[in-house]
Amino acid sequence: MSKSTVTRLFIGSAIAVIAGLILGLTALWAAFANGMFVMHGHDVIGIQSGPGAWFVLGLGILAGLVIMGGLVGGLVSWIGALLNTAALADKTWFILLLVLGLLSFGLVAMIAYVIGGPDGTRQPVAPAS
């Protein structure tokens, strides 16, 4: 997988996660604004049923699916970046991506790779003599 493909997949996945979060917060806001939650003090003790509640529930489920799709896309882009950097002679980027990803800092590693990482699919150009 080339770096440009990994970059497009990573950015698309990040946009999907952000869009899912916005959609989920919008659904939550709509539920509170329309009084769908039965409150007792600060506690939610019930949900008022109705067409609006089902619509908001559908938005919440859709938001969760979009977020999960974005997370899966991010995982695939991380694996693609690992495979791309494994082809390089210098294994610094591969080790960096692998260790940070396994230590749950994969987002930081992928941002660094997208900004300044090498492309393992490109062949080095021999200097002209």
Side-chain angles (χ1 to χ4, degrees), residues 12-98:
S13 299
I15 290 170
V17 169
I18 292 169
L21 288 173
I22 291 171
L23 185 61
L25 290 174
T26 302
L28 205 72
W29 173 80
F32 273 114
N34 292 317
M36 291 178 194
F37 293 124
V38 179
M39 305 291 289
H40 185 268
H42 293 293
D43 298 329
V44 176
I45 59 170
I47 297 175
Q48 293 186 5
S49 183
W54 287 108
F55 178 73
V56 169
L57 178 65
L59 280 180
I61 291 172
L62 179 64
L65 290 173
V66 170
I67 291 170
M68 285 192 300
L71 292 175
V72 167
L75 177 66
V76 170
S77 71
W78 177 67
I79 292 170
L82 283 173
L83 293 174
N84 189 345
T85 55
L88 297 170
D90 182 18
K91 299 296 183 200
T92 305
W93 275 100
F94 175 77
I95 293 170
L96 179 77
L97 285 168
L98 181 63

